[in-house]
Amino acid sequence: MRITEVKAFALSSPIDPPQERSFHGGTRRLLKRDVVLAIVETADGLRGAATAGATSSSMREYFEGDSQGTFADVLENEAADALEGESIEQITDAHELIEETNLSDRLKTKAISALDVALYDIRGKELGTPVYELLHDQYENPPELTTELPLYASSGMYMEPEGFAEQAHYVEEAGFFGYKYRPGIGPDEDRRTIDLVSDALDETEMMLDSHTWWKLEDSYSKAEVDDIVACADENGAYWVEEPVAPDDYSGYERLAETGAALAGGESEESPEGLLALGKTGAVDFLQGDVRHHRGFTGCHRAIEFCRGRDIEFVPHNFGTWLGLLANAHLVAAAPEVSLVEYPIFEDDPLVDASGDPGMYPFDLAFDLVKGQPPMQNGQLTVPDDPGLGIEVDLDAIEEYSFIEGPWTEFHYDE
């Protein structure tokens, strides 16, 4: 394929009016959600798309002091200069061209992540095949393709314990495999939430996304974290995610000795970081993300590492339906991988329940693509159309213009 144009659009989905969520020691104010849309076009008139940018889960709104808008400029300038006019035989050829730029390592990884996905989208369209078939062929002794994928719901952010339990009920009603929520409302209230959520669920699994514990200005103590993890384990939690800082491998190892199932990896800055965390033996679930770990190519290494070991690759996904389908193609093709994260935002048209378990408004998550992913009762059917199987709605570019500034603010009690 000969690349003729690389374009990028920084987009914002306002949260109007802003929402305030109380956590242990302060208040979080949600203003918007940002997305960088990357589009690559070829001389044959084919177009590939991917979402890109900062990891929302790490609460870093900026790359080395620059905004998401600046990262869109990186794709349209340094990345475009490196790729436009070039003929790409292997998708990794594009990786090499980006490596030759003067970008920082972090920006190279983020750029490669987006471009890898967009180029696979194009390659699938060139060959008339879905991306998952291209990925499947790369595995030695590949397993059968699995295109019917269970989803776990990612929701629940800083509310009263009873609110988490109510959300859990709606998530189970909608048929999801699991309910993942974000504690951080204080050690006592976190334990009470565990009790209420576990009581509210019958068949749906309980998962805790615990990154707030170590990101607070006044972080939880080791003893408090140990006690809450033990409480979650006693109540049958499927996993406790990111209970300690990403670089605190000794903390992961300490908690693993309790027997509790741990998850992590989304905040690792590279595929090498993913592998390093996996090699500690401390996590049961390794959470790579095509958006952050050099696309399908980078995640392939982590999946191969997990294969045959007592550790499961479960991709992180916390964005739009376009990002959802990219991670779903990865899972459909991969050996010993089956579960996909589905973030639920307010008024999600694919969630059928008597109440709304959405976290906050993020209309762009739905409006970025034409049509809807084929999902029902908490299960996704990966499209078999060429490429990613879904097209970007370019009208969203006009509708969701970029708003400068952070997407979330943290205000701490004095």
Side-chain angles (χ1 to χ4, degrees), residues 70-119:
T70 305
F71 181 65
D73 291 340
V74 166
L75 290 176
E76 288 214 322
N77 291 289
E78 287 90 342
D81 290 345
L83 296 184
E84 287 178 357
E86 297 289 340
S87 293
I88 303 297
E89 296 298 326
Q90 303 294 326
I91 289 173
T92 50
D93 294 345
H95 294 217
E96 294 173 4
L97 291 168
I98 297 299
E99 289 286 6
E100 293 172 2
T101 68
N102 292 323
L103 294 170
S104 68
D105 288 344
R106 174 175 289 201
L107 289 176
K108 286 178 181 176
T109 290
K110 299 305 179 187
I112 288 170
S113 297
L115 295 167
D116 186 272
V117 173
L119 291 172

Side-chain angles (χ1 to χ4, degrees), residues 69 126 132 205 218 254 321 371 399:
E126 281 182 333
Y132 62 73
E205 300 285 356
D218 184 15
R254 182 188 79 250
W321 281 346
E399 185 177 352

